Amino acid sequence: MANLTPRSALAPFLHAGHHGAEDKTGVTLREVTACALAELTAFKGQKEALATVIVTSFGIALPSANKSASKDGVTFVSVGPGKWLVTGEGKAEPDLIAKLEKAAGSLAAVVVQSDARALVEISGDKARMALAKGVMIDLDPVAFKTGDAAVSFAVQFWITLWQTHDAPTFRLAVFRSMGRDLLHWLESSAAEFGYTID
C-alpha cells in the first residue's frame, strides 16, 4: 500500500534558523510533511455527479478554475479541467485517501501523490514579493487572494500555488524531484527580506 504521509523531500537541504538579511525577517519557509496528498480527476461526463458526492462526503464544493476550497483540514485545489490536488492534514490526514476513493467510486480517478510531491509553505509580510520574483502570474493582493490558486511556471519548473490565509500564507506543490530547486529559488528570492526556516 502506498505511504499516505510523505517523507521529507527537503530534509537534507533545510537549515533551520535565520538566513539572509540579518536585521529583519520578512519571510518564513516551512516544509509540510504531515499531510496526505492525492490527485482527483473526474471521468468524462461525471464532473457534476462528483461535485455532489464531494459535498456530501467532505462538505466542500469543488472549486472552479484557479480556486481552492478547504474545510476541516481538507483542501481541494483546482489544477485543470475536472482535476484537483487534494490535501489532508490533522485529523483528516489518516483517512483522506480511503475517504476520497470511497466518494469518487466510479465517478473519478484517485491517484495518491503523498510520495510524489514536495509541499512548501511560505508566509510573512514579504512572502508575496519573494514569490513575485519568479512566478508568472499577478500576485497583487487585489488579483490573488485567499482561496485563489494557479498552476504556473516558476523559474525553470511548474508549481501549483494557492493562498491559504490573508497573512499572507501560500502553499506550493512541486514534484519531489524538483523540491531542492524549489527551495533554492525560494531562499534566493527571500534573502534580501531576511527569512526563517522552521
Side-chain angles (χ1 to χ4, degrees):
M1 183 175 179
N3 180 26
L4 303 187
T5 301
R7 298 181 300 274
S8 172
L10 303 176
F13 318 113
L14 290 170
H15 303 288
H18 185 273
H19 306 274
E22 296 181 359
D23 58 340
K24 50 192 175 182
T25 302
V27 175
T28 298
L29 301 175
R30 178 177 73 92
E31 183 182 18
V32 181
T33 55
C35 179
L37 295 95
E39 191 169 82
L40 176 70
T41 305
F43 293 140
K44 185 175 181 180
Q46 299 298 332
K47 184 176 176 180
E48 290 186 10
L50 177 65
T52 298
V53 298
I54 293 300
V55 169
T56 300
S57 299
F58 294 94
I60 299 174
L62 282 175
S64 57
N66 302 316
K67 296 291 181 180
S68 66
S70 302
K71 183 179 180 181
D72 298 332
V74 177
T75 299
F76 287 78
V77 182
S78 176
V79 294
K83 183 180 293 187
W84 298 267
L85 179 67
V86 189
T87 68
E89 298 176 80
K91 293 181 179 179
E93 177 196 348
D95 302 323
L96 176 73
I97 305 302
K99 189 174 179 180
L100 197 59
E101 289 176 336
K102 182 178 179 180
S106 61
L107 303 174
V110 176
V111 179
V112 178
Q113 294 289 299
S114 299
D115 274 338
R117 307 279 184 119
L119 185 59
V120 175
E121 183 175 273
I122 175 171
S123 59
D125 59 357
K126 301 298 183 183
R128 197 180 300 273
M129 294 177 67
L131 286 171
K133 292 183 179 184
V135 176
M136 305 302 180
I137 57 175
D138 184 0
L139 288 176
D140 185 282
V142 174
F144 199 96
K145 49 193 175 296
T146 300
D148 287 340
V151 176
S152 175
F153 194 69
V155 189
Q156 295 182 345
F157 47 90
W158 289 95
I159 64 168
T160 300
L161 168 72
W162 64 102
Q163 186 171 338
T164 61
H165 298 288
D166 293 338
T169 302
F170 302 88
R171 290 282 177 90
L172 298 92
V174 295
F175 287 109
R176 289 175 72 87
S177 61
M178 304 304 297
R180 182 178 183 180
D181 294 321
L182 172 67
L183 182 62
H184 177 72
W185 164 57
L186 290 174
E187 289 181 318
S188 296
S189 296
E192 70 167 295
F193 309 117
Y195 67 95
T196 297
I197 294 180
D198 286 346

